[in-house]
Amino acid sequence: MTKLANHPQGESSPEDGSRSRTRTDGGDGRDGAGDLPGKPTEASRTTLSHIMTGSDTNLLGTVHGGVIMKLVDDAAGAVAGRHSGGPAVTASMDEMVFLEPVRVGDLVHVRAQVNWTGRSSMEVGVRVMAERWNESTPAQQVGSAYLVFAAVDADGRPRPVPPVIPSTERDKRRHQEAQIRRTHRLARRRAIKELREQRAADGIDEG
C-alpha cells in the first residue's frame, strides 16, 4: 500500500535546495519565471510511504533497486507537479545513491522537495528512509537522489515555473548545492561535446 502525504513545514526531508532564481538546464541564466509569484519549499514538500512485499525483491532477497527508483521518481514527480501547478516530466536523474539494503517488511518513506528552479525546470531532492513496519525504532536513511524535471503544457512544450523560496537555512544550503550540481552538469556536457568534436576533427574513426 502506498500513501502520499504533504510534509509539514520545518520537517526534514530530501537532499537538495535553497533560494531559487536561476536558470533552466538549457542555460538562459534566468531564475524561474520572473512574472510568476514564488512558492515556499514546504508548499510542495511531499512524503510517499510504501510497505515492501515479496513481489519487490531481487534474486538476493532484498528489495530491487528499480522498485526504489520508481518510488523516488513518483514522489519527485508529485512534488514537481505541485510546485509547477501542472504536468512535469522527468528530464534526468542526476544522482541516485543506495546506502543500505531495503528488505521485505520495511516501511519505506520517500521524502521529496524542490531545491532549485529555472525557467521551466526544477531540481527535486529525494531522501529515502526505511523502518520495520511492526517496530517503533527510528527510520534509517537508505538512499538519496536528485532529479531534474521539466514543466510542460498540454502540447508537451516547456512552460514557466514559479521560483522556489527556501524556507529554512537547510533549504538555502540545498539550493546552493543544487546550483553546484547544475554547474557541473553543464561543464560535463561541454567537455564531452568538445572532446567528440575534437576527435571528429582529427579524423578518428571509432568504427
Side-chain angles (χ1 to χ4, degrees), residues 117-149:
T117 54
R119 274 190 177 277
S120 60
S121 64
M122 301 155 278
E123 185 194 272
V124 179
V126 181
R127 176 174 293 174
V128 184
M129 311 292 292
E131 60 182 314
R132 297 304 294 174
W133 70 274
N134 58 349
E135 298 177 6
S136 58
T137 54
Q140 176 186 22
Q141 184 175 355
V142 295
S144 64
Y146 304 101
L147 301 88
V148 177
F149 279 79

Side-chain angles (χ1 to χ4, degrees), residues 50-128:
H50 188 86
I51 294 179
M52 299 293 105
T53 66
S55 62
D56 299 317
T57 59
N58 56 28
L59 295 178
L60 298 177
T62 56
V63 172
H64 199 292
V67 172
I68 300 300
M69 292 175 73
K70 183 181 186 305
L71 292 175
V72 165
D73 190 46
D74 287 346
V79 167
R82 288 178 174 184
H83 180 83
S84 65
V89 296
T90 311
S92 67
M93 179 174 282
D94 193 44
E95 183 178 324
M96 178 77 216
V97 178
F98 297 98
L99 302 174
E100 298 289 342
V102 179
R103 295 179 168 80
V104 171
D106 281 352
L107 176 58
V108 172
H109 307 287
V110 184
R111 301 173 179 173
Q113 73 176 49
V114 173
N115 293 321
W116 172 93
T117 54
R119 274 190 177 277
S120 60
S121 64
M122 301 155 278
E123 185 194 272
V124 179
V126 181
R127 176 174 293 174
V128 184

